[in-house]
Amino acid sequence: MMLIKLAWRNLWRNRKRSIITLTSIAIAVLLAVSMRSMQLGMYDNMIKNVVGSYVGYIQIHGRGYWEEQTLDNALQITPQLRDKVQSIPGVKHLIERIGTFSLGSRGDETKGVMVSGIRMEDERQMVDWDARLLKGELLPPGSEDILLAKGVARFFRADVGDTIVLIGQGYHGMSAAGKFRVGGIVDMKNPKINSVSVFLSLPVAQDYLSAKNVVTHLVIDKAENADEKQMLNRLTTALDTSKYEVMGWREMLPELEQTILADSVGGLLMVFILYMIITFGIFGTVLMMTQERIFELGIMMAIGMKRLKLILTLIYETIILTILGLLIGIALVLPIMYYYHVHPLQLGLDQAEVMEKFGFEATVPFLFNLQLPLTHALIIFIISLVIALYPVIRIWRLNPLEAMRSK
Amino acid sequence: MAVITTKEITKIYRQGDIEVHALNGVSIQFEKGEFTAIVGPSGSGKTTLLNAIGGLDTPTSGSVVIDGQDITRLNSNELIDFRLNNIGFVFQAYNLIPVLTAEENVSFIMLLQGVPASKRKQRACRLLEEVGLSEQLSRRPAQLSGGQQQRVAVARALASKPKFVLADEPTANLDSKSTGNLLDIMAKLSQEEGMTFIFSTHDQRVIDRAKRIITLEDGKIISDVTV
Ligand SMILES: Nc1ncnc2c1ncn2[C@@H]1O[C@H](COP(=O)(O)OP(=O)(O)O)[C@@H](O)[C@H]1O
Ligand SMILES: [Mg+2]
């Protein structure tokens, strides 16, 4: 207790230096954590946009489907399979889709289209389809209509109520043909998808493709905090992997993960540089705090203060200084994180346009949790412990007579 | 019985090729309650002798026996503890811990010894009163004059109830008034508490106050007079 008091008073001997040091620690935390909070928040948002709205965090296909995306690699859906998947903790929704290419035509115009058979009420759990609807209706239950993405509609100059003919290959080499009334037009917020996608209700599509109870994708929407890796493992163990393949979004969208990783590395590098700077800052202070007191430390040892107690005093000084800086830094950064979590940062116009083109929302909600600031605080704390080795070594080797000769 | 007995202590400093014989076979005894000055010109070995007796330095040869224990055999960490419990120190200057008040400086050494808080406070106040600083209890060293600081150092040296007090040129940085004052206090404490004081000096006024005067020259005792 006395040692802590001693350490505390020693810290304020050079008030200016201590304040500069702890301010620099606080600023480092502030900068590092708010930057990471923005980055991680942006990545989460990107993932949520791309993965959460369509691809899903996890998909199950028939074995080999991802490599060769044909109906013949589709899987037969059974109640047992549904039950098995749904019994895995973290599975929020199980969404069934069938997808294949067909030739679409209207009048003289013909074009390859991606036909997706979906259950609209399930899809709506993942993303707000109402926001995508430009015209007509979103395949209400029992509907036998077709929904066109806006690029396809433009190509065919088709409007609600017009007819589109689809011709293609069905399941197991059956030929597929159907005539569908345009029920609505949607904007998929992605030019590539907009130019090829058409949607049918799942049973209608299965009927068109002669593929009763067949789906190409089982998309799993996971609960907010469920651990994706764990779910992947459990699913792989639960399912017969000679018949099914279980894939996480990282495997399905490697470019997304790489983009995030590349960006993240840049941020981490900045954090690293920042921490190097404050490491030297703290070290400089600790060095001076030790060096300028060598005589005094010699006196204390001469009158009978054990090395261990002297060492503890100097360690306390470093720790108190660091913790004060960290507390101030965390106290400053939490409100910032929270504010931008609730009021996401709006991107500049240029960036916003790019983002929206790719179907991302042009906002960056910051990540808000305690783990992020605490992790960074822990790193700086550990750095300070390493720095505190300096006075430890210095005192361990200190000889009181030599120390007292230093004045 | 003698409190301190040194037998043939020598101390050789090596500086490159040159050997400096700071002590050259010093054998001497100190009895309880002595008030002794070690005198001699600068470089004669006074500090070296006091450091050897005080366990701050280990002689090159010879023994220093304190209350039957040869302290030249202790390692540096054992010596720290030995000093804490057996020896009071007053150095030439800057004796005190700058961030502690006068009272805390005196208490501090008792705290290191594990004396309970209430006793510490009581004893610190009493000792500071004895050295005439009852008004300055809560001042920090920077707020005290050089003479006052040395008096706090004397109070601290006594606080640990040592077997003897060593003071290496305690008045070297003081004016004559403060010097006289400090000597009065040391002499009084020596008498009242039966405390052994051994101090080095080359100040004639200080020498005049001593009961025993040991003169060193070139690391040897050339005279030892009891007044
Ligand atoms: N650490 C040291 N290294 C080398 N020589 C030393 C050291 N300390 C003292 N001496 C030498 O030992 C001799 C005695 O010194 P000291 O005991 O300090 O004398 P005094 O205190 O009487 O002035 C001197 O010649 C001094 O130069
Ligand atoms: Mg000397």
Side-chain angles (χ1 to χ4, degrees):
Chain A
M1 199 52 225
M2 180 63 194
L3 298 185
I4 291 176
K5 189 160 128 193
L6 200 60
W8 177 256
R9 289 200 195 163
N10 277 323
L11 269 187
W12 301 113
R13 275 162 94 156
N14 193 327
R15 202 173 297 250
K16 216 194 220 161
R17 184 174 64 205
S18 294
I19 286 176
I20 289 173
T21 310
L22 65 85
T23 306
S24 68
I25 294 172
I27 290 174
V29 172
L30 185 70
L31 290 178
V33 174
S34 49
M35 188 185 74
R36 289 302 286 166
S37 153
M38 180 179 85
Q39 284 193 313
L40 297 174
M42 185 170 79
Y43 306 151
D44 272 1
N45 202 39
M46 280 163 83
I47 294 168
K48 223 182 266 166
N49 269 300
V50 182
V51 177
S53 68
Y54 193 72
V55 177
Y57 287 88
I58 296 173
Q59 288 188 5
I60 299 166
H61 315 124
R63 173 98 252 149
Y65 178 79
W66 196 251
E67 280 289 304
E68 197 192 339
Q69 305 203 357
T70 70
L71 274 185
D72 292 337
N73 284 330
L75 61 86
Q76 200 81 34
I77 188 97
T78 59
Q80 292 95 306
L81 178 61
R82 275 198 199 104
D83 287 349
K84 231 182 210 169
V85 173
Q86 243 141 8
S87 69
I88 304 288
V91 174
K92 201 165 83 179
H93 301 293
L94 183 58
I95 296 162
E96 299 167 15
R97 292 182 192 147
I98 190 166
T100 189
F101 273 95
S102 288
L103 216 53
S105 72
R106 172 166 185 264
D108 296 337
E109 306 287 356
T110 306
K111 172 183 177 34
V113 291
M114 175 74 206
V115 182
S116 297
I118 58 174
R119 283 207 182 93
M120 187 53 81
E121 64 277 18
D122 286 350
E123 300 289 341
R124 281 179 141 150
Q125 312 272 15
M126 281 180 82
V127 72
D128 182 10
W129 274 77
D130 289 322
R132 293 176 169 178
L133 183 64
L134 298 175
K135 244 181 182 175
E137 281 184 304
L138 290 168
L139 303 179
S143 162
E144 307 210 330
D145 292 348
I146 190 167
L147 204 55
L148 303 184
K150 73 174 185 185
V152 177
R154 195 184 312 125
F155 180 86
F156 288 129
R157 277 171 306 226
D159 208 339
V160 175
D162 293 342
T163 304
I164 298 285
V165 175
L166 296 180
I167 303 166
Q169 198 172 44
Y171 195 46
H172 285 325
M174 301 286 282
S175 64
K179 224 168 88 177
F180 305 94
R181 175 186 171 272
V182 176
I185 295 169
V186 288
D187 179 2
M188 299 303 288
K189 316 244 163 163
N190 178 324
K192 229 161 107 189
I193 297 177
N194 269 335
S195 67
V196 293
S197 294
V198 302
F199 301 92
L200 296 169
S201 286
L202 183 63
V204 176
Q206 284 169 333
D207 199 38
Y208 158 65
L209 296 166
S210 319
K212 207 165 169 25
N213 289 327
V214 169
V215 300
T216 49
H217 303 73
L218 281 176
V219 177
I220 291 169
D221 192 16
K222 76 178 177 74
E224 188 81 36
N225 294 315
D227 179 4
E228 187 188 317
K229 287 216 179 78
Q230 205 175 2
M231 286 171 66
L232 271 174
N233 284 339
R234 289 202 170 129
L235 281 165
T236 316
T237 346
L239 298 178
D240 176 1
T241 48
S242 69
K243 277 168 80 184
Y244 306 108
E245 61 189 23
V246 181
M247 295 175 85
W249 67 268
R250 285 168 219 274
E251 204 181 339
M252 296 184 286
L253 297 169
E255 332 79 50
L256 179 62
E257 201 191 7
Q258 274 157 20
T259 309
I260 288 175
L261 215 67
D263 193 79
S264 190
V265 164
L268 287 174
L269 196 71
M270 275 176 62
V271 171
F272 178 76
I273 293 169
L274 200 60
Y275 285 179
M276 287 290 279
I277 294 170
I278 66 139
T279 300
F280 283 108
I282 303 174
F283 183 67
T285 301
V286 170
L287 190 80
M288 285 188 275
M289 280 197 317
T290 312
Q291 213 53 40
E292 70 195 7
R293 292 224 309 278
I294 289 295
F295 177 87
E296 180 184 327
L297 297 172
I299 291 267
M300 290 164 100
M301 208 184 283
I303 65 169
M305 186 163 181
K306 284 204 186 70
R307 283 192 173 83
L308 188 65
K309 286 186 175 165
L310 278 179
I311 285 172
L312 278 177
T313 310
L314 273 98
I315 291 180
Y316 288 152
E317 286 172 25
T318 310
I319 289 180
I320 292 172
L321 191 68
T322 309
I323 289 181
L324 274 182
L326 292 177
L327 287 179
I328 294 171
I330 291 174
L332 290 177
V333 82
L334 280 179
I336 294 178
M337 288 169 82
Y338 185 71
Y339 180 84
Y340 286 110
H341 179 69
V342 181
H343 311 277
L345 207 64
Q346 295 291 325
L347 289 179
L349 262 182
D350 291 359
Q351 270 174 303
E353 231 166 84
V354 176
M355 292 283 279
E356 273 166 357
K357 239 185 207 146
F358 285 97
F360 297 163
E361 291 166 45
T363 58
V364 179
F366 280 33
L367 180 70
F368 179 76
N369 62 22
L370 278 178
Q371 196 195 336
L372 182 67
L374 289 181
T375 307
H376 285 262
L378 185 70
I379 293 170
I380 297 181
F381 184 72
I382 290 170
I383 290 175
S384 81
L385 286 184
V386 174
I387 291 171
L389 281 178
Y390 173 75
V392 171
I393 293 166
R394 195 76 181 78
I395 291 173
W396 200 252
R397 294 202 191 137
L398 196 68
N399 168 315
L401 275 189
E402 277 165 32
M404 286 160 66
R405 222 175 278 134
S406 73
K407 206 153 202 168
Chain B
M1 206 195 101
V3 189
I4 308 164
T5 308
T6 75
K7 278 200 193 96
E8 286 298 316
I9 49 176
T10 64
K11 179 76 192 181
I12 302 170
Y13 290 111
R14 230 167 290 251
Q15 276 180 328
D17 295 339
I18 312 160
E19 283 190 350
V20 180
H21 291 251
L23 290 178
N24 244 322
V26 174
S27 298
I28 195 171
Q29 293 200 340
F30 298 94
E31 306 292 331
K32 190 170 161 43
E34 276 190 23
F35 197 67
T36 299
I38 297 178
V39 304
S42 182
S44 57
K46 304 182 293 293
T47 298
T48 310
L49 178 60
L50 286 179
N51 287 343
I53 297 172
L56 283 168
D57 205 356
T58 312
T60 311
S61 66
S63 64
V64 177
V65 178
I66 293 172
D67 255 2
Q69 187 176 13
D70 184 355
I71 65 164
T72 60
R73 291 166 195 277
L74 301 178
N75 68 33
S76 84
N77 284 321
E78 291 167 335
L79 278 173
I80 294 180
D81 245 353
F82 183 85
R83 291 196 298 267
L84 173 65
N85 293 310
N86 297 282
I87 309 173
F89 287 94
V90 179
F91 301 101
Q92 194 170 319
Y94 309 110
N95 270 285
L96 307 177
I97 301 171
V99 294
L100 299 183
T101 64
E103 186 200 323
E104 286 166 339
N105 260 288
V106 177
S107 287
F108 187 71
I109 196 153
M110 294 184 273
L111 180 98
L112 294 178
Q113 289 180 309
V115 176
S118 60
K119 274 203 180 145
R120 291 202 301 266
K121 188 169 173 66
Q122 196 189 346
R123 183 162 170 80
C125 292
R126 191 180 69 73
L127 284 166
L128 284 168
E129 196 184 314
E130 296 227 26
V131 299
L133 291 174
S134 40
E135 304 287 298
Q136 283 83 6
L137 293 180
S138 49
R139 294 229 184 136
R140 294 209 183 168
Q143 300 165 312
L144 297 169
S145 72
Q148 288 173 328
Q149 288 182 35
Q150 289 303 76
R151 284 189 267 154
V152 176
V154 169
R156 180 186 66 189
L158 288 174
S160 62
K161 302 195 172 162
K163 297 202 170 77
F164 54 92
V165 174
L166 297 177
D168 192 7
E169 312 220 23
T171 62
N173 288 18
L174 301 184
D175 58 36
S176 57
K177 188 164 165 266
S178 305
T179 299
N181 191 259
L182 189 72
L183 266 258
D184 290 343
I185 287 165
M186 281 164 54
K188 185 184 80 179
L189 288 169
S190 172
Q191 236 159 36
E192 286 174 3
E193 313 229 343
M195 180 54 65
T196 314
F197 276 88
I198 304 168
F199 46 93
S200 74
T201 184
H202 45 233
D203 182 338
Q204 194 54 47
R205 290 162 303 177
V206 178
I207 299 170
D208 292 343
R209 302 288 298 268
K211 300 276 161 53
R212 178 184 176 191
I213 302 160
I214 295 166
T215 311
L216 282 182
E217 214 176 276
D218 294 332
K220 278 198 179 106
I221 297 175
I222 55 163
S223 84
D224 183 349
V225 249
T226 303
V227 186

